């Protein structure tokens, strides 16, 4: 049986949508109140009536402004919604049931329909019907039709509120289903990535070890020196396979892959700075648009960043590293720049030629960039440091900069929780 969400259980985005609906109803009631005041002749606005209108207006404005505090109380205690009918009754008693102010009083029943199931919304409607009949009793009768018709608007408005609540609940359920499907797709993509990683690295290493081990008995008989050399190569390959297996396990445990891309870049850079004791500076001023990066893009960018920083630690002898993530003009750009030893890159950006000199990490980074439709460039010179840039097209649009600000603030707290031998400069 499918689960049907109810408002007392919702939080997060669904709670925000409920809050916005509540605010909209309050603002609509305020608009009806203002229109009624404009249409009412000034001669009818005596002090008692003015005080009643002011009380209802103040309550409406307060509820709309402080909805985060008011709404939880209303949902837990329907009697408070019944009390909301008292200012409306006061307005009806002072200004007349058959005037311009009657329509705004039905908003209380509409709010009850949005917030509560029928067993809780009906008492609110009943209270409003009783108050309306009391107000009508003090005025000349306008016929049986009016006597029965006006109170009927309260349960009808509650029905409209209940339909709105049902639509919002269905939308929340659809959002939850969408998130579930996205999670399943991301899990499938992760399994595919791990299979590809094992094929490209660990499986090939193991295959080479099998071939070397199979030939080893032959070389032991024919050429002991060659057998000794191959045995050393086999030990080295075993160490490489162990390192690759540990890397795959570390990827499974790496939390950065599940974070928004700018936050993942910052965390990887800060954690690397701590472990390597090389000062790292992150420039994320133009990274807000990368908040909603797809899983596969996020993983490849983070993997390229980790490999680039590993190369800096092993080969560059650098004192400082700058990591920049930029998302603008329809492209995403990751730049890792160090002030280390540098080297002479191959001409015309032929990164694949670096494999001849043992720079397999850069070759793997270029392959990762191509997997997501991007490219990798390397700019370096002996003694002048190295700049590695990964660029890929970005058709995913932009994110809310305020959301990025809140995420980076949370990450600052997480980073500050641990000891840091090298302080990152932001």
């Amino acid at each position: 049986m499918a689960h049907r969400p109810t408002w007392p259980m919702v939080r997060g985005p669904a709670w925000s949508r409920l809050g916005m609906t509540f605010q909209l109803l309050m603002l609509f009631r305020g608009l009806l109140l203002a229109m009624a005041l404009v249409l009412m002749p000034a001669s009818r606005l005596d002090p008692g009536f003015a005080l009643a209108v002011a009380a209802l207006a103040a309550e409406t404005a307060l509820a709309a402004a402080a909805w985060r505090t008011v709404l939880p109380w209303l949902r837990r205690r329907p009697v408070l919604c019944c009390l909301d009918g008292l200012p409306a009754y006061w307005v009806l008693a002072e200004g007349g049931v058959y005037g311009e102010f009657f329509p705004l009083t039905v908003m209380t029943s509409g709010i009850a329909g949005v917030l509560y199931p029928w067993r809780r919304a009906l008492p609110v409607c009943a209270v409003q019907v009783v108050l309306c009949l009391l107000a009508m009793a003090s005025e000349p009768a306008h016929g049986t039709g009016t006597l029965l018709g006006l109170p009927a608007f309260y349960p009808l408005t509650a029905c409209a509120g209940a339909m709105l609540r049902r639509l919002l609940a269905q939308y929340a359920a659809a959002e939850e289903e969408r998130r579930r499907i996205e999670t399943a797709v991301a899990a499938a993509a992760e399994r595919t990535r791990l299979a590809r990683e094992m094929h490209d690295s660990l499986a090939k290493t193991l295959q080479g070890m099998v071939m070397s081990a199979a030939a080893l008995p032959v070389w032991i008989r024919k050429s002991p020196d060659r057998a000794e050399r191959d045995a050393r190569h086999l030990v080295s390959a075993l160490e490489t396979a162990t390192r690759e297996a540990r890397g795959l396990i570390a990827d499974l445990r790496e939390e950065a892959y599940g974070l928004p891309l700018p936050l993942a870049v910052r965390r990887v850079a800060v954690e690397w700075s701590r472990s390597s004791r090389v000062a790292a500076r992150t420039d994320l001023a133009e990274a807000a648009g990368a908040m909603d990066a797809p899983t596969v893009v996020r993983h490849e960018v983070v993997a390229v960043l980790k490999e680039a920083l590993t190369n800096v630690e092993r080969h560059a002898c650098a004192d400082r590293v700058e990591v920049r993530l930029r998302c603008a003009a329809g492209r995403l750009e990751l730049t890792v720049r160090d002030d280390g030893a540098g080297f002479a890159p191959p001409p015309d950006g032929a990164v694949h030629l670096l494999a001849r000199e043992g720079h397999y990490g850069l070759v793997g980074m270029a392959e990762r960039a191509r997997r997501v439709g991007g490219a990798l460039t390397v700019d370096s010179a002996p003694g002048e440091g190295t700049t590695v840039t990964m660029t890929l097209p970005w058709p995913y649009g932009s994110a809310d900069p305020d959301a990025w600000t809140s995420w980076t603030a949370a990450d600052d707290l997480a980073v500050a929780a641990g000891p840091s031998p090298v302080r990152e400069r932001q």
Side-chain angles (χ1 to χ4, degrees):
M1 182 177 178
H3 172 67
R4 296 181 62 184
T6 56
W7 290 124
M9 299 297 293
V10 296
R11 289 294 185 269
W15 171 259
S16 299
R17 285 192 291 270
L18 179 61
M20 292 179 62
T21 304
F22 178 76
Q23 283 183 294
L24 180 62
L25 293 175
M26 288 290 100
L27 292 175
F28 187 60
R29 186 165 78 174
L31 177 63
L32 289 176
L33 181 60
M35 292 176 62
L37 284 173
V38 170
L39 295 174
M40 186 187 69
S43 58
R44 292 175 50 196
L45 193 61
D46 57 74
F49 184 45
L51 185 60
V53 171
L56 183 60
E59 184 211 358
T60 302
L62 180 63
W67 68 270
R68 290 182 177 84
T69 302
V70 173
L71 195 53
W73 281 83
L74 282 176
R75 291 174 62 209
R76 288 194 299 265
R77 297 172 176 83
V79 67
L80 296 178
C81 200
C82 294
L83 295 177
D84 179 67
L86 295 179
Y89 165 72
W90 189 8
V91 170
L92 290 181
E94 293 289 339
V97 179
Y98 307 102
E100 302 86 351
F101 292 89
F102 175 79
L104 65 91
T105 65
V106 302
M107 296 304 299
T108 300
S109 294
I111 293 170
V114 171
L115 297 182
Y116 313 122
W118 269 112
R119 60 184 178 86
R120 293 189 174 186
L122 283 178
V124 177
C125 296
V127 169
Q128 284 214 280
V129 168
V130 171
L131 293 176
C132 179
L133 292 175
L134 289 176
M136 293 173 68
S138 61
E139 296 190 32
H142 282 227
T144 305
T146 304
L147 183 64
L148 298 177
L150 288 182
F153 279 101
Y154 295 107
L156 291 176
T157 307
C159 288
M163 293 180 64
L164 178 59
R165 173 171 58 88
R166 184 175 180 181
L167 288 174
L168 292 175
Q170 289 176 349
Y171 181 77
E175 284 287 295
E176 182 63 28
E177 180 67 12
R178 181 184 64 82
R179 285 191 292 268
R180 186 191 65 79
I181 294 174
E182 288 181 350
T183 301
V185 171
E190 183 67 7
R191 287 193 297 269
T192 302
R193 182 194 66 80
L194 287 174
R196 184 179 65 244
E197 294 286 344
M198 294 183 67
H199 176 269
D200 292 346
S201 58
L202 185 58
K204 291 181 178 179
T205 303
L206 293 175
Q207 182 64 28
M209 291 169 54
V210 169
M211 295 175 64
S212 297
L216 195 58
V218 176
W219 292 118
I220 289 176
R221 292 192 301 268
K222 293 184 176 181
S223 176
D225 292 340
R226 173 68 181 272
E228 181 181 356
R229 185 168 63 253
D230 282 2
R232 286 196 297 268
H233 290 165
L234 189 59
V235 171
S236 177
L238 281 170
E239 293 175 348
T240 301
T242 302
R243 185 168 59 252
E244 290 172 347
R246 288 176 177 172
L248 290 172
I249 295 173
D251 279 354
L252 289 174
R253 297 181 176 180
E254 176 60 72
E255 295 181 357
Y257 292 124
L259 298 174
L261 184 56
L263 187 53
V265 168
R266 166 182 281 193
R267 177 166 296 184
V268 169
V270 172
E271 290 179 353
W272 175 84
S273 180
R274 285 176 177 164
S275 63
S276 66
R277 292 184 173 271
V278 178
R281 177 180 180 272
T282 54
D283 181 1
L284 306 174
E286 299 178 74
M291 291 296 295
D292 297 326
T295 301
V296 61
V297 173
R298 185 170 63 243
H299 183 276
E300 299 297 357
V301 172
V302 171
V304 167
L305 172 61
K306 292 172 67 176
E307 184 64 30
L309 294 175
T310 299
N311 285 348
V312 172
E313 184 178 1
R314 290 178 179 175
H315 310 296
C317 300
D319 295 322
R320 304 190 64 80
V321 175
E322 180 179 353
V323 178
R324 181 189 183 195
L325 183 68
R326 180 173 180 267
C327 184
R331 70 175 187 172
L332 180 71
E333 184 178 276
L334 172 71
T335 304
V336 181
R337 181 181 296 109
D338 68 73
D339 61 354
F343 66 99
D348 301 325
V351 178
H352 63 279
L353 298 178
L354 292 170
R356 300 176 181 177
E357 303 175 12
H359 297 289
Y360 296 105
L362 287 170
V363 177
M365 292 158 61
E367 292 176 352
R368 289 185 179 277
R370 286 195 295 271
R371 285 172 188 164
V372 288
L376 188 86
T377 59
V378 180
D379 183 14
S380 183
E384 297 184 8
T386 302
T387 300
V388 176
T389 303
M390 176 185 181
T391 306
L392 62 148
W394 193 255
Y396 305 105
S398 301
D400 183 5
D402 294 337
W404 161 233
T405 302
S406 65
W407 261 313
T408 53
D411 188 51
D412 285 337
L413 294 176
V415 169
S420 177
V422 180
R423 184 169 182 84
E424 182 199 26
R425 298 194 303 118
Q426 280 293 117

